[in-house]
Amino acid sequence: SELFEKIDIFVTTSEYTRGLYEKVYPVLKGRIKIFEHGRDFPYPREYCGKVPDTGEKIRILLAGNIGYSKGAEYISELISADREGRLEFHCIGSLPEDLKQKVVYYGRYIRDDFRNYVVKIKPSYVGIFSIWPETYCHIMTEAFSCGIPCIVSSIGTLKERGRKGGCILVDLKDPVAACHEICKVSADPAAYDKLCGEVLRQLVRTVDEMGKDYLNLYASLLAEERNV
């Protein structure tokens, strides 16, 4: 707390995260700005997935290091809840050994290859099932850069970003209901098309835009310092 009082401004990436910090450390109230992460993508923003077809598997792409905190146990529960075998999970990244047997696994990848895997796999969704609230989530931004809707945990920053559109929010306590909702949306062409439209309307900030926010912030703080 003594250190916090010596700092002029803090920066975080979401309303949820700011609220959590202010709740735990009331001394920070009024001193936390929100700058969303910027990302540059060297390709056009367009739909690279596969529209769900009746009778076919619904492909869901998992990406990153899918350990316990990223929802590995929940994913296993979701697969078990899919009694009709409608969902087909594909994973790039890392998984616990027992989960590798339940998905189509491609191994580790580098971030620049994300779109290449999306084009190859053609998922209908990117699944983000973290059991902790996240502070931003680059995987969601990467999914949006490829025009793919997301299925996300209804908690924290994932919920905050998901409510802006392009996402199905699922309850981590009820994988059966989550499975039902995914299948319901996938069986409704209008509902799925609406999600895709929301994805392409989501703003994805550039690194330059993010950098300008920080540059302006530092400039204003230096100006205040000179005037003291």
Side-chain angles (χ1 to χ4, degrees), residues 193-212:
D193 185 63
K194 180 175 181 290
L195 277 181
C196 291
E198 291 171 350
V199 167
L200 294 177
R201 287 192 293 272
Q202 287 276 17
L203 295 178
V204 176
R205 291 182 4 119
T206 66
V207 171
D208 186 58
E209 289 171 331
M210 177 184 68
K212 286 178 179 177

Side-chain angles (χ1 to χ4, degrees), residues 4 12 16-26 28 32 135:
F4 287 163
T12 190
Y16 172 85
T17 310
R18 175 164 66 183
L20 182 59
Y21 276 120
E22 289 181 344
K23 179 180 178 181
V24 177
Y25 302 107
L28 300 183
I32 304 178
T135 54

Side-chain angles (χ1 to χ4, degrees), residues 3 11 16 37 44 48 53 56 87 92 100 116 118 128 132 148 153 170 189 195 213:
L3 177 62
V11 177
Y16 172 85
H37 288 307
C48 302
D53 291 329
E56 291 191 355
L87 309 182
I92 55 176
K100 287 180 183 178
N116 293 334
V118 170
I128 305 168
W132 78 297
I148 309 297
S153 312
V170 296
L195 277 181
D213 281 342

